[in-house]
Structure formats: C-alpha cells, structure tokens
Amino acid sequence: MLTVSRIKNIQGRIAVPGDKSISHRALMLLAISEGRGRIKGFLRGADCLSTAACLRQLGVGFEERGNELIIDGRGLWGLEEPRGVLDVGNSGTTLRLLSGILAGQAFTSVITGDHSIQKRPMDRVAVPLRKMGAAIAGKDGRDLAPLVIQGRGLLGIDYTLPVASAQVKSAILLAGLYAEGETVVREVKPARNHTELMLACLGADIKTEGGKIGLKSSKLQACDIAVPGDLSSAAFFIAPAAAIKGSHLVVEGVGLNPTRTGLIDVLRRMGAAIELENVTERGGELRGDIVVRGRRLHGTVVEGEMVPRLIDEIPILAVAASQAEGITTVRGAEELRVKESDRISALAQELVRLGIDIQELPDGLQIKGPCSLRGAEVQSFGDHRMAMALAAAGLFSPEPVKVQGSECISVSFPGFAQLLAKIVKY
Ligand code: S3P
C-alpha cells in the first residue's frame, strides 16, 4: 500500500525510466533483425521484462552490460517454436505486437497473460491477421486470450483501423514483414508511430504519407537504439507540478514524439507554464528536457485527434483537472474502458471517494474544479496508471490517501515512490 498526503510543492531535476512502448519495440524488432543490436535506456519494468521472457522462449539471447541490453538478432526466420505457453503477464503491447510476428512463423504458438489480459479484446488483432492468412483461435471461440496462433504464409492487406490503436497498427506491420506483396494500414486518428520510425531505422521498406502506411516485406539490419525517458511516466510528476503554485520541476531526456505529447499541449491550454529545452532527435524520435512551473490551471475540453495523443495520461489529467478552475471534459475516449482496467469507471469510482466532483460519461469524464480533497483508502484495480494517478491525487489531500494494490506500479515505473519522495517539499 502506498500512502500520500498534501505537500507544499514539487521541486527538483530528475530523469524517469525508459519509454515502455519504445522498449517493447526495440526488443521485438532487434530480435528479428540480422546482427547484434544494443538498447540503451531499456525500461526494466514488468511489462518489458515479459516481452524479453517471451522472446527468450522463442530462442532469442540477451546479455546485460552496464545499462545496455545486447541482443543477438535471429533474423526474420530464426525464431524457434516455443516449448510452453508464452506468458505476457499484464502486457497488452506484448500480446498484440508479438501476435503479428507469430502470425508469420512456420510454427504454432499459444500466448496468454494475467487475469486482466484475458478480459481485453483481441479481435482487433485477430481479425486483420486472419485477413492476412493466419489461423488464430481464442478461448471458447471468442477472440480473448489465450490465443492459439498458427503461423502461415501471409499476404499483404489494405486495412483501415477501426480504432486508433498503435498496438493493432504495429501487429499488422510486423506481420507485413512476413507477407507477400504490400501491406497498407490506414489510420483515421494518428496513434503513436514508434514502430514505423524504428522499422525505417532498421532498413525496412516502409513509407508513411498522411494517414497511410505502406510496408513491403524486408530484412531488418540491427542497430543501436537509445530509449528516451517515458513521458507517460513523467506525466505523474509533470501534471501535479503544473497545478501546484511554487513548483519548479525539470524532467530530463524525455521522449517528445508528437504522437505522444498531447498532455503537454492540453496542460498548456489549461494555463500551465511548460517549456521544452535541449530538444534533439535520434532515430526519428525527439527527446528533451521538460521544465514545469506551477500555476493555477483552468478547465478545458479534450476530444477528437487529441485523445490518442494522451490516452495513457487521462487518469493523471483527471487529477490535475480537479485542481483547475471550471469544468474539464474528456470525450471520445471509450478506449479507456478496455485498458488494464475500465479506467473511466475506475476513475469515477475512486476519485469521488477523494472528494473530486467527477461524472462518468459513456466515452469519457467530466470534472468540476477546483475541489478540496479528503483522505480515503482507494484501489488500483491492478492497473499501474490508476495506482499512480491516485497516489498523485494524495498530494492535494490534507489527510492520507492510501492506495491499495500499488505493487502494479512496477509494470511501467519501477522506483516511482522513491522518485516522488525526492521531489516533494513539505
Ligand atoms: C501502446 C499503445 C496504446 C497505449 C498502451 C501502449 C503501445 O494502446 O494505451 O499503453 O505501446 O503501442 P492501444 O494501441 O490499445 O491504443
């Protein structure tokens, strides 16, 4: 259990662990590349360690040297048939992205994960991968994990994504590496593009034009990958610092890919003072230092194309909105219902306990601020981002906020509580 209560403000200069999305992709793509690759800044969180464990079962070797992870790529066709069931733990990214690779193999795999994973929709990857020629069977005839994936010779498809999902887009592109002919993915609302950028760096024949991504089967050549800090982790410090007067926080070396920076744009729209410094680019990915100074915020509306740009930050945005003057509305975010928990109902249920004026909408939330928070015992629903958002809400409560089930934070942010303790001032 993690206990947090009111602070004076946030002060400090810190770095956060590596980006989860980029760490997963670096592991998987280097595993199927030719030659040796190094990952610097790899996130040693439970989700990415699940990806590493699954790849190990597929015959991939890793070596840790200092803070570098070294991978000997097996090439597109060098993976081995796994002996047992592949277990992704809590990681939807592992299950969905790896499904794309497994669909192209000449063997059958069974892949599953924890209780939460077994409830999450997998039809979104099974349907397009079947169109490409893979045979995929879910539990009880439904597209839920465990999935049995029978690899086959695949054919490229032209597919318009029905949901803005980088996991689905990536699964199709990874399968496309094994497919005959061109694979085209069209997105209506842009989702994070780390897979496309990394594939291009590894030499894949990939082109992006507007919302259309085209990929032709191609070998990948290993290279070194530097993972920036995870903005989705930094968000749990940035949003409270932006909302508490007198705060001054610098988070160094954070990923600033524009498909991920919606939180910064929305907080600025709410009146936040946030500057970006020392911005550089590597492998198509931007990174830089984020400088936040606390101020009184005001409410805003979040909808449309903004939603995928901050989908993982909505829990912490809801907490910041509770301190803003006026109403904040989030719409078009029904995807939140199928994350590690149903984040719309979980947020509405738990934040109300803390005295936040929050209303559940079918596709989002409405928060009326500023609210005076009170202490309570709240639950994470086994969801790392819920646990961290609730802990951050505690920073505004005069009495302790006790977050039950906070162990799940290690999924994406090992060391969260220690880093938080370093920057809070009483
Ligand atoms: C992720 C994509 C998003 C995000 C998740 C990580 C990724 O999910 O919520 O935390 O690494 O591709 P969806 O693809 O389901 O939107």
Side-chain angles (χ1 to χ4, degrees):
M1 183 143 69
L2 184 57
T3 304
V4 183
S5 55
R6 183 184 277 164
I7 58 164
K8 188 164 158 241
N9 58 38
I10 292 177
Q11 302 285 337
R13 176 177 279 271
I14 53 167
V16 292
D19 187 274
K20 180 158 85 71
S21 293
I22 298 178
S23 294
H24 280 299
R25 286 157 173 81
L27 281 177
M28 289 190 211
L29 289 178
L30 288 177
I32 56 169
S33 295
E34 314 272 330
R36 174 169 273 205
R38 289 179 184 76
I39 310 176
K40 209 172 155 192
F42 173 73
L43 170 64
R44 296 191 52 81
D47 267 14
C48 297
L49 295 177
S50 292
T51 291
C54 290
L55 290 171
R56 221 174 259 123
Q57 267 180 275
L58 291 160
V60 182
F62 302 96
E63 196 190 310
E64 277 194 77
R65 227 179 266 167
N67 74 343
E68 284 190 348
L69 193 62
I70 300 172
I71 302 177
D72 283 312
R74 312 229 9 151
L76 281 181
W77 301 105
L79 297 181
E80 290 165 13
E81 181 166 0
R83 288 228 184 92
V85 171
L86 299 169
D87 184 355
V88 305
N90 190 241
S91 176
T93 308
T94 310
L95 202 152
R96 296 201 178 110
L97 267 62
L98 207 49
S99 295
I101 294 177
L102 296 174
Q105 304 303 313
F107 52 75
T108 300
S109 336
V110 184
I111 187 162
T112 192
D114 69 8
H115 190 65
S116 146
I117 277 290
Q118 293 182 34
K119 288 196 287 192
R120 297 182 67 184
M122 294 302 153
D123 51 341
R124 51 183 63 198
V125 285
V127 167
L129 294 177
R130 277 189 198 116
K131 280 190 202 287
M132 295 177 84
I136 301 184
K139 192 177 164 193
D140 305 328
R142 296 161 68 201
D143 284 329
L144 294 175
L147 296 181
V148 180
I149 303 178
Q150 207 178 330
R152 298 254 180 100
L154 303 179
L155 287 176
I157 50 168
D158 187 328
Y159 193 74
T160 302
L161 293 176
V163 280
S165 164
Q167 294 178 357
V168 178
K169 170 170 65 169
S170 302
I172 300 169
L173 292 174
L174 292 175
L177 289 171
Y178 295 89
E180 215 183 292
E182 195 183 11
T183 298
V184 175
V185 184
R186 297 173 198 270
E187 36 182 8
V188 181
K189 287 185 206 156
R192 64 193 68 193
N193 64 354
H194 307 300
T195 305
E196 297 93 297
L197 294 175
M198 205 179 286
L199 279 169
C201 274
L202 297 170
D205 185 351
I206 183 166
K207 275 195 205 86
T208 303
E209 259 184 69
K212 177 185 165 197
I213 306 142
L215 172 95
K216 288 194 193 122
S217 170
S218 28
K219 276 190 181 174
L220 306 178
Q221 193 56 51
C223 69
D224 293 349
I225 297 174
V227 182
D230 199 330
L231 177 55
S232 296
S233 297
F236 294 100
F237 303 146
I238 291 170
I244 303 174
K245 278 192 196 157
S247 293
H248 181 200
L249 175 71
V250 183
V251 192
E252 293 176 346
V254 184
L256 295 173
N257 179 317
T259 61
R260 296 281 299 280
T261 48
L263 178 76
I264 296 176
D265 296 347
V266 167
L267 285 173
R268 280 178 171 161
R269 216 204 277 153
M270 294 171 82
I274 302 180
E275 303 298 330
L276 305 179
E277 291 178 354
N278 305 316
V279 178
T280 55
E281 190 246 75
R282 192 165 158 188
E285 296 284 356
L286 296 176
R287 75 159 73 196
D289 304 338
I290 302 178
V291 183
V292 189
R293 285 188 176 79
R295 278 199 194 160
R296 171 58 101 192
L297 303 181
H298 50 81
T300 190
V301 177
V302 177
E303 60 189 350
E305 293 209 350
M306 182 56 83
V307 173
R309 295 186 56 226
L310 50 52
I311 190 73
D312 291 340
E313 286 66 74
I314 292 173
I316 188 62
L317 181 65
V319 172
S322 78
Q323 300 308 302
E325 199 83 48
I327 297 177
T328 296
T329 309
V330 178
R331 281 197 221 104
E334 53 283 334
E335 272 296 298
L336 285 181
R337 294 207 180 268
V338 290
K339 294 292 177 192
E340 286 82 333
S341 67
D342 174 345
R343 287 184 180 156
I344 295 180
S345 87
L347 282 168
Q349 187 182 313
E350 298 310 291
L351 293 185
V352 123
R353 282 189 220 283
L354 301 178
I356 294 179
D357 185 346
I358 181 167
Q359 242 195 316
E360 177 173 351
L361 307 175
D363 61 344
L365 295 159
Q366 189 159 75
I367 297 120
K368 252 186 228 157
C371 311
S372 299
L373 267 63
R374 57 174 176 260
E377 231 175 84
V378 283
Q379 47 166 324
S380 70
F381 296 90
D383 179 341
H384 55 129
R385 299 204 203 280
M386 276 299 298
M388 288 185 275
L390 292 168
L395 301 172
F396 300 97
S397 162
E399 305 103 27
V401 169
K402 297 180 178 175
V403 184
Q404 281 182 354
S406 58
E407 325 73 62
C408 60
I409 290 174
S410 63
V411 153
S412 64
F413 198 160
F416 165 78
Q418 292 80 347
L419 208 46
L420 179 64
K422 255 177 79 173
I423 56 174
V424 293
K425 303 294 165 213
Y426 296 93

